[in-house]
Amino acid sequence: LRPVSFGDLDGWQSDDMRASVRAFARSCQAMLRRDDDRAVGPDARMGTIGQWHDVCQTAVELDIDSLRKEDARTFFESRFKPYLSGNGDNPEGLFTGYYEPELNGQLVRGGDFQTPLYLKPDDMVTIDLGEFRDDLKGTKLVGRVSGDRVKPYFNRAEIEEGALADRDLELVWVDDAVDAFFLQIQGSGRVVLPDDSVLRVGYAATNGHPYFAIGRELIARNILTRETVSLQSIRKWLHDHPDEADAVMNTNASYVFFQPLRVDPNDPDAGPLGSQGVPLEPGRSLAVDRRFHAMGVPVWLETRDPMNADRAFRRLMVAQDTGGAIRGPVRGDIFFGPGEEAALYAGHMNRLGRKY
């Protein structure tokens, strides 16, 4: 972390940060529920909850709906100092995007609804290796007990072939296996039921296998190129090649389990819950690597627009989520919100940039 000034942040004066204040206030509500002596994040320089108490208390008491644009910027300028984040000496990293998908489903299997979204299995165990050896702190394994041994949990191919069948783990059945696959990558979404009601689902657990981006597999097969690969091009190929789709999707052994999400009746349009446990703000919530970053910390992002590389994408965000593919100190995944436009932006977001 290298200290800089607000004058070093390109576009700082022109960003409308009112939505950033809303996102930060949500994070603060979660932070204020923790004990004052708890560390905010993995780095002691990020301080304790007690040291963030005053700024968080101010944030949650603000009337954001009546906040002026310049007041939002002043709120951050008067209470924070910016630091350039680097991976060693390299300040550049990769920034991608994600969104909240919408699928069609029903609560019982039948007709076109043949693909299950699974609840977290009750036979999964998580082993924190740091409890056994200091040099393995931060390393966790997910598995299942078999006799007197712990084995890796079932991979994607094994689950798709029926390893979890007949265990009453099906949360809901959807009509498109490809959409279910991408829902796992996004981590949360909306399932529209036959009566037009909406079941919101969110991440519950993963099987512990490493995440593998299937776009890399399609590039390796000379089906797509680095220039043409996107969420949209991958999805189209999978739909156009149903006989090969399962084999390609199974190259990603990681599998995500879901849970139903409670919807706040006072805020039914709020985004899905990120790993901090607060609703995500479209275009302002950022998924980061928790080994380096703390949840709730504001992050100034400088990168390029996903739809036009000649156009800057610069805005104040808040670290509120994580993801299996988000690894490293200069890495981020932008939450673009629900709907097809958000999917378009998320699917094309693959830019180098900096974060402060």
Side-chain angles (χ1 to χ4, degrees):
L1 295 174
R2 180 166 63 84
V4 297
S5 70
F6 284 105
D8 295 321
L9 309 186
D10 289 340
W12 176 264
Q13 293 297 323
S14 59
D15 185 35
D16 185 347
M17 302 174 186
R18 285 174 289 190
S20 307
V21 176
R22 181 183 300 108
F24 180 65
R26 286 174 176 157
S27 284
C28 278
Q29 289 175 338
M31 293 168 74
L32 290 172
R33 290 194 291 267
R34 300 169 64 194
D35 294 336
D36 282 355
D37 60 353
R38 291 285 300 275
V40 170
D43 190 321
R45 291 174 293 182
M46 298 172 189
T48 64
I49 295 296
Q51 291 171 316
W52 285 68
H53 187 277
D54 287 349
V55 67
C56 273
Q57 194 64 48
T58 300
V60 299
E61 292 174 357
L62 285 173
D63 183 357
I64 298 172
D65 291 335
S66 62
L67 199 64
R68 297 182 304 169
K69 181 178 177 180
E70 54 268 29
D71 293 335
R73 184 167 60 251
T74 299
F75 171 80
F76 291 105
E77 283 183 351
S78 63
R79 291 168 174 85
F80 292 92
K81 294 180 179 179
Y83 289 78
L84 175 62
S85 179
N87 187 359
D89 293 331
N90 185 7
E92 282 208 330
L94 178 65
F95 294 89
T96 50
Y98 65 116
Y99 70 107
E100 187 179 20
E102 187 171 277
L103 293 79
N104 297 311
Q106 61 183 32
L107 299 180
V108 295
R109 187 178 189 176
D112 293 333
F113 301 95
Q114 297 294 324
T115 300
L117 303 183
Y118 283 119
L119 296 162
K120 178 184 176 180
D122 57 9
D123 62 343
M124 286 180 63
V125 294
T126 301
I127 303 171
D128 185 349
L129 296 182
E131 295 183 1
F132 296 84
R133 280 175 35 185
D134 288 344
D135 61 333
L136 293 176
K137 282 186 177 179
T139 302
K140 294 183 179 181
L141 298 178
V142 176
R144 57 188 175 90
V145 178
S146 178
D148 60 352
R149 299 175 66 88
V150 176
K151 294 185 176 182
Y153 207 76
F154 301 114
N155 62 28
R156 176 177 296 279
E158 292 168 330
I159 293 172
E160 295 292 2
E161 290 166 5
L164 299 181
D166 302 320
R167 291 178 52 180
D168 198 27
L169 291 171
E170 296 86 359
L171 170 61
V172 65
W173 299 84
V174 299
D175 63 354
D176 193 310
V178 173
D179 284 350
F181 175 85
F182 280 105
L183 175 66
Q184 292 189 35
I185 296 175
Q186 305 307 315
S188 61
R190 309 171 186 223
V191 181
V192 180
L193 302 176
D195 63 357
D196 289 330
S197 64
V198 175
L199 171 65
R200 297 188 73 168
V201 298
Y203 174 95
T206 177
N207 63 350
H209 288 267
Y211 173 83
F212 176 78
I214 65 170
R216 291 166 54 187
E217 177 70 13
L218 295 178
I219 291 173
R221 295 188 184 195
N222 295 317
I223 293 168
L224 297 175
T225 67
R226 292 187 181 279
E227 293 71 33
T228 61
V229 67
S230 69
L231 183 153
Q232 285 73 24
S233 62
I234 295 171
R235 175 190 280 165
K236 183 178 187 305
W237 187 89
L238 293 172
H239 277 138
D240 291 346
H241 300 82
D243 294 339
E244 302 174 71
D246 286 345
V248 170
M249 290 189 288
N250 287 342
T251 61
N252 177 24
S254 175
Y255 195 94
V256 169
F257 304 103
F258 292 95
Q259 59 185 333
L261 297 181
R262 183 180 64 85
V263 178
D264 184 350
N266 298 318
D267 193 7
D269 295 324
L273 298 182
S275 60
Q276 193 187 11
V278 302
L280 301 178
E281 183 73 16
R284 296 287 165 171
S285 295
L286 189 70
V288 297
D289 188 340
R290 292 187 83 154
R291 296 176 302 166
F292 302 97
H293 294 282
M295 295 291 99
V297 172
V299 178
W300 176 254
L301 176 60
E302 294 179 3
T303 183
R304 311 305 298 177
D305 189 277
M307 307 306 295
N308 183 353
D310 294 328
R311 189 165 56 214
F313 186 98
R314 301 178 297 217
R315 60 181 61 181
L316 185 64
M317 312 194 75
V318 181
Q320 295 180 313
D321 206 0
T322 57
I326 313 306
R327 311 287 287 178
V330 192
R331 179 72 170 92
D333 206 26
I334 302 163
F335 176 65
F336 282 101
E340 286 304 311
E341 183 177 1
L344 186 66
Y345 272 74
H348 287 86
M349 187 67 205
N350 191 1
R351 305 292 192 197
L352 292 177
R354 300 184 177 204
K355 64 179 178 182
Y356 298 81

